Amino acid sequence: MKSPDPAAARLHLRAVAIALVLVAVFFGAALQRMRRLERKYVRDVAAENYRVKDLGIIWQRESFAQPDILPIYGSSELTKRAPNKATEFFESYPSGFAVSPVGRPSCTSLILLERLGAGAAKARGRKVAICVSPVWFLAKGANGLGFAGNFSPMQASELFFNAPLSLGLKHDIAGQLLRYPQVFSKSWLLAATAEWLASDRLGDRVLYFAAMPLGWLQNAVYRLQDHFEIARSMRGDHKLRHLIPRKSETLDWDRLMAAAAPLVRPLPQEVFDSRFRYFADDAGFLEAMDRSYEWGDFELLLRVVRELGLDPLLLSMPIEYAHYERMGISPQAIDAYDLRLRAFADRYQVSVVDFADSGGDPQFFADHFGHPSAKGWIFFDRALDDFYHGQSIREDEPAALGKNGRSKIPRAAPLNSD
């Protein structure tokens, strides 16, 4: 048998090494170029609703890194077409900043905390706006399909293995995520990690820490994938070829509010819709709200915001009084939502704007699903502008235009910490 030639073997190894170095150099150069492009264009595409931004990490982190971009997290209100929507209203940087949306239909608190835990890990001290909707807290139960459609394995991995959150908070988040075990079906590592984190057994905690190197490797692969997905989406983005020029101007909110009124369409006639939840009386309404999963998820969201050291503004659509009063629900029962929302916000020292005065104004709503109209969006826009510039946030309609809403409910006392 002919013995192997050592010189030939060394030659093959050298060729393999050179090939690996060339591949590494190629990918390194490509990655650096992608990062430069991301930083270059992040301001130009800030207002866009991108799937790769919603489910990824890089675009969100780049948005937080820019001082003239205000990230806003929410749900379908960020994607539904409407005049004066914040993303379009601030697209030309009229008062020095743009709004960057992260959110899709059926996003609720548990999805938003996943987004923030992954995307805002290095954003301590940065401002962020978070939109919540009363209908989240009145849903019939956990929305498995909606959650699965918005769940991001990339963000979950970043949350589990990299986010600067306490082990106790990760434990509580994992327990809530396991309500939807189907979302972990494509990743044994994420499935196992969720189980280990949710467990109170010491052995499971040891397994979690032992799996950290695998998690870091998985995160590195996910981030590389995210960079390439962004590069691919930018190639097909027509906005990069038709950029909207910046236009600084003084925002006259009274004039903008008056101009929005003619753009408001009458609310559609109410007919039975299976997407609504109907209540027979106050007791049923209050029981549904009290038993909602969403309050627990919402508290976790506030805990994430606080542990990340963000400067948050919580924005909530008001409840449409007329819609629920036609079911026989009293104003006092409807106001329980605002009281409880403010109580949670007070506990975690989070600023909240709920536009409670506008719940009785039909012009504030675009539909019965809690989406703002052209007029409603002006209220949101003004609150975001005040928040970004560090001013006292205004919620009320200008006195010159008259008031169509109800008197503001009293501010709630903080919840007990028990």
Side-chain angles (χ1 to χ4, degrees), residues 300-345:
L300 288 177
L301 171 62
L302 297 181
R303 288 172 61 189
V304 167
V305 166
R306 276 287 153 244
E307 288 202 11
L308 290 176
L310 300 175
D311 179 8
L313 172 65
L314 193 65
L315 296 164
S316 174
M317 277 292 291
I319 291 183
E320 185 194 347
Y321 280 92
H323 173 67
Y324 286 96
E325 287 177 343
R326 280 190 283 270
M327 300 182 201
I329 310 303
S330 69
Q332 291 74 26
I334 294 171
D335 287 345
Y337 164 75
D338 296 281
L339 291 169
R340 191 163 185 178
L341 182 77
R342 286 182 174 274
F344 273 102

Side-chain angles (χ1 to χ4, degrees), residues 198-390:
S199 171
D200 293 319
R201 294 191 295 268
L202 178 61
D204 287 332
R205 294 296 171 85
V206 171
L207 288 172
Y208 165 67
F209 285 109
M212 291 289 277
L214 278 177
W216 297 332
L217 179 61
Q218 178 173 260
N219 286 350
V221 173
Y222 274 140
R223 288 175 200 165
L224 188 61
Q225 174 188 335
D226 201 15
H227 282 296
F228 279 99
E229 288 288 337
I230 289 172
R232 187 172 67 174
S233 69
M234 288 173 66
R235 281 201 305 270
D237 189 354
H238 72 280
K239 283 211 64 177
L240 297 180
R241 297 187 292 273
H242 305 282
L243 298 177
I244 294 178
R246 296 195 181 199
K247 182 182 178 183
S248 180
E249 59 182 289
T250 301
L251 298 176
D252 183 341
W253 294 107
D254 287 1
R255 180 184 62 79
L256 290 168
M257 198 79 72
L263 302 177
V264 178
R265 297 179 179 179
L267 284 170
Q269 183 178 359
E270 290 209 42
V271 295
F272 177 80
D273 191 318
S274 60
R275 293 173 293 177
F276 287 129
R277 187 167 187 185
Y278 294 88
F279 303 96
D281 50 32
D282 283 0
F285 177 88
L286 293 172
E287 181 183 11
M289 187 169 61
D290 288 341
R291 296 179 63 180
S292 172
Y293 282 120
E294 193 62 30
W295 291 113
D297 295 345
F298 178 63
E299 184 167 16
L300 288 177
L301 171 62
L302 297 181
R303 288 172 61 189
V304 167
V305 166
R306 276 287 153 244
E307 288 202 11
L308 290 176
L310 300 175
D311 179 8
L313 172 65
L314 193 65
L315 296 164
S316 174
M317 277 292 291
I319 291 183
E320 185 194 347
Y321 280 92
H323 173 67
Y324 286 96
E325 287 177 343
R326 280 190 283 270
M327 300 182 201
I329 310 303
S330 69
Q332 291 74 26
I334 294 171
D335 287 345
Y337 164 75
D338 296 281
L339 291 169
R340 191 163 185 178
L341 182 77
R342 286 182 174 274
F344 273 102
D346 284 350
R347 174 190 283 185
Y348 292 97
Q349 298 181 322
V350 173
S351 299
V352 59
V353 176
D354 56 20
F355 306 107
D357 279 355
S358 298
D361 179 7
Q363 289 196 327
F364 195 94
F365 304 89
D367 51 39
H368 301 298
F369 293 98
H371 295 122
S373 66
K375 179 181 177 181
W377 268 117
I378 289 293
F379 280 83
F380 275 80
D381 297 337
R382 185 178 61 178
L384 291 169
D385 192 67
D386 289 341
F387 174 59
Y388 178 83
H389 292 291

Side-chain angles (χ1 to χ4, degrees), residues 14-84:
R14 188 179 302 170
V16 170
I18 291 173
L20 290 175
V21 169
L22 290 175
V23 169
V25 169
F26 171 78
F27 275 102
L31 186 58
Q32 288 302 316
R33 175 170 171 75
M34 285 186 287
R35 285 175 172 166
R36 286 196 298 270
L37 288 173
E38 289 158 5
R39 287 191 290 270
K40 177 180 179 180
Y41 288 112
V42 63
R43 290 180 174 86
D44 297 318
V45 298
E48 292 292 288
N49 291 101
Y50 283 114
R51 183 178 183 276
V52 68
K53 178 166 63 172
D54 285 335
L55 301 180
I57 300 167
I58 305 301
W59 265 142
Q60 293 184 47
R61 290 188 175 178
E62 284 296 332
S63 295
F64 272 110
Q66 311 307 317
D68 54 356
I69 292 179
L70 176 62
I72 182 169
Y73 287 70
S75 188
S76 56
E77 69 280 350
L78 299 181
T79 60
K80 181 180 173 64
R81 291 185 178 182
N84 298 323

